[in-house]
Amino acid sequence: MSRLVPVLRVPDGPGSLLRRFVGVPLRLQTYANLLYLSALFPLGMAYSILLPLGFGLGIGLAVILVGLPVLAGTILLVRELTALERYAADRLLAVDVPAGEADVPPLSEPVAHLKHALTSLSTWRGVVFLLSKVLVGTAAFALLAFLGTISLSLLLVPLYYRSVNVGVRPVSGEMDFQPSVEIALRTWEIGLTVPFRLTTWYVTTLPEALAVSAFGLVATLASLHVCNYAARAAGWYASLVVGGTDPSAIRRTVDV
């Protein structure tokens, strides 16, 4: 079972905060979080196809009794996938997602086990979690794609700045601004005007490219922290929905 990490940590000082920020790529938990977030979308897509197909075929063919085994198999599959998801969240993420302690009939008693599966809240909590994973996975995929694209494109600028125009260009072209401040008193007034121009800037030299790359390094570290917090939120969701659900029946059978 993973160690529960507190919601907020009060740093000892600026030095501790800086070490935490810079040290994020050196922590194994960061890569466990990235692995979990990366798997959310493909698993969510698989569940969104598999579960409706299984329940649809089972219910549709139940009138000729062929669908009953399909429906029973789908329910048992949901329970095993829920147990697997709970175990993965508990082992990979910095949250505790424990299994329940309910007395579940073994698979050697199929009728009693199926009756328990149909009447247990754990089964239907698992259905909700598995079907909702496509939404969580889509959000995780969008987050990883956005942060990864921005961070890597800035970090690797020294490798391609000569062949690609890298820089900043205002949407409407060059823009001139002349903000002014005036202070009026009884007999005199003071005015201050600071003209400046917002123009296009491109990376044309290696020092400029290295400066952009340094900014990209900071953006990469910040992105890793964002991913860690996103993974923690996903872990909290898993703990809320499938925490305390029934353990894997197959694993219990194998252990016996």
Side-chain angles (χ1 to χ4, degrees):
M1 186 175 296
S2 62
R3 178 173 56 87
L4 181 62
V5 176
V7 177
L8 291 175
R9 290 180 178 177
V10 180
D12 297 332
S16 176
L17 186 61
L18 180 62
R19 285 193 297 272
R20 285 188 59 201
F21 180 79
V22 176
V24 64
L26 304 179
R27 292 193 286 269
L28 291 178
Q29 185 61 57
T30 298
Y31 301 98
N33 291 340
L34 290 175
L35 176 62
Y36 186 86
L37 291 175
S38 301
L40 283 176
F41 181 70
L43 288 176
M45 291 296 295
Y47 298 154
S48 67
I49 296 173
L50 186 62
L51 267 62
L53 181 63
F55 282 116
L57 288 176
I59 296 173
L61 298 176
V63 293
I64 56 175
L65 303 182
V66 178
L68 295 180
V70 177
L71 191 59
T74 302
I75 291 175
L76 295 179
L77 179 63
V78 165
R79 291 176 59 82
E80 292 304 313
L81 289 176
T82 301
L84 180 62
E85 286 287 342
R86 185 191 60 249
Y87 178 79
D90 185 70
R91 300 303 298 177
L92 290 177
L93 303 180
V95 294
D96 287 327
V97 192
E101 300 179 355
D103 186 14
V104 182
L107 288 176
S108 58
E109 303 175 10
V111 176
H113 185 84
L114 184 59
K115 181 180 178 180
H116 172 81
L118 289 171
T119 58
S120 174
L121 185 61
S122 296
T123 302
W124 308 112
R125 287 167 63 187
V127 171
V128 171
F129 180 78
L130 295 177
L131 290 178
S132 66
K133 197 158 187 175
V134 66
L135 300 178
V136 179
T138 301
F141 176 79
L143 178 68
L144 291 175
F146 175 75
L147 294 179
T149 301
I150 295 298
S151 300
L152 290 178
S153 62
L154 293 175
L155 191 63
L156 301 178
V157 162
L159 301 180
Y160 62 84
Y161 76 97
R162 293 182 182 274
S163 57
V164 178
N165 288 331
V166 180
V168 178
R169 181 180 183 278
V171 177
S172 57
E174 294 186 354
M175 302 175 63
D176 293 321
F177 296 92
Q178 293 185 350
S180 60
V181 177
E182 294 183 358
I183 302 176
L185 299 178
R186 293 181 179 179
T187 58
W188 53 277
E189 66 178 29
I190 301 175
L192 176 63
T193 301
V194 183
F196 66 93
R197 172 175 294 178
L198 186 62
T199 185
T200 302
W201 173 77
Y202 289 110
V203 176
T204 56
T205 64
L206 181 59
E208 292 176 344
L210 292 176
V212 174
S213 181
F215 179 76
L217 177 60
V218 176
T220 301
L221 296 176
S223 298
L224 291 177
H225 281 284
V226 172
C227 291
N228 283 342
Y229 281 107
R232 187 174 300 180
W236 285 335
Y237 176 68
S239 179
L240 176 66
V241 180
V242 298
T245 53
D246 294 337
S248 170
I250 295 178
R251 184 178 181 182
R252 290 180 57 192
T253 302
V254 172
D255 291 341
V256 173

